[in-house]
Amino acid sequence: MIYGLGIDLTEIGRIQQAVAHNARFVTKVLTPAEVTIYRQLSGPRQWEFLAGRFSAKEAYSKAYGTGLGRVSLQDVTILNDQLGKPIITEQPFTAGSAFVSISHTATLVMTEVILEEEKSRE
């Protein structure tokens, strides 16, 4: 059963501006495991990664039903599986599974998160 659905659209340029104003923005958004990946990337791919993780965490907070604040950017870690698919590896939702999709153009990132509750056995 679906517990929550969240979507978000983020401008990559807005994320670049945030980093230009405050270099610590990267470590505010990304967990240590995500920062490791971010630092291995360069050029547009680095900005897409950062904007994608920010957007996905925003979408997660919407699916969780609280918005950012009660769910911190550091509460959610999104890594990639062996095929490159993004997966949520750390999160506060413990009643089931979380699914994430990240897509981008040259200027925008769109994300969707679905939180699914496990069926209770009654």
Side-chain angles (χ1 to χ4, degrees):
M1 170 183 228
I2 293 180
Y3 174 85
L5 170 68
I7 62 169
D8 189 69
L9 187 65
T10 298
E11 295 178 23
I12 295 172
R14 192 175 114 228
I15 298 301
Q16 289 174 304
Q17 289 174 350
V19 172
H21 282 82
N22 182 1
R24 290 186 303 164
F25 181 80
V26 172
T27 56
K28 286 181 68 175
V29 171
L30 302 177
T31 62
E34 294 166 329
V35 168
T36 298
I37 297 166
Y38 171 82
R39 289 188 176 144
Q40 294 171 359
L41 303 171
S42 62
R45 184 65 193 111
Q46 194 174 46
W47 296 116
E48 292 164 358
F49 181 86
L50 180 58
R53 288 336 192 244
F54 175 82
S55 181
K57 292 175 184 197
E58 179 75 36
Y60 182 96
S61 72
K62 294 172 183 176
Y64 197 60
T66 61
L68 288 175
R70 294 219 18 225
V71 172
S72 158
L73 295 168
Q74 293 293 309
D75 290 339
V76 179
T77 298
I78 303 164
L79 302 177
N80 294 338
D81 71 8
Q82 61 275 16
L83 299 176
K85 174 183 161 188
I87 56 171
I88 297 173
T89 60
E90 295 180 35
Q91 60 168 320
F93 181 69
T94 58
S97 301
F99 304 92
V100 61
S101 181
I102 303 171
S103 186
H104 57 81
T105 68
T107 59
L108 294 171
V109 173
M110 186 275 184
T111 57
E112 179 178 32
V113 171
I114 297 172
L115 300 180
E116 181 181 45
E117 284 183 301
E118 292 179 10
K119 292 182 180 178
S120 62
R121 299 177 185 221
E122 297 179 10

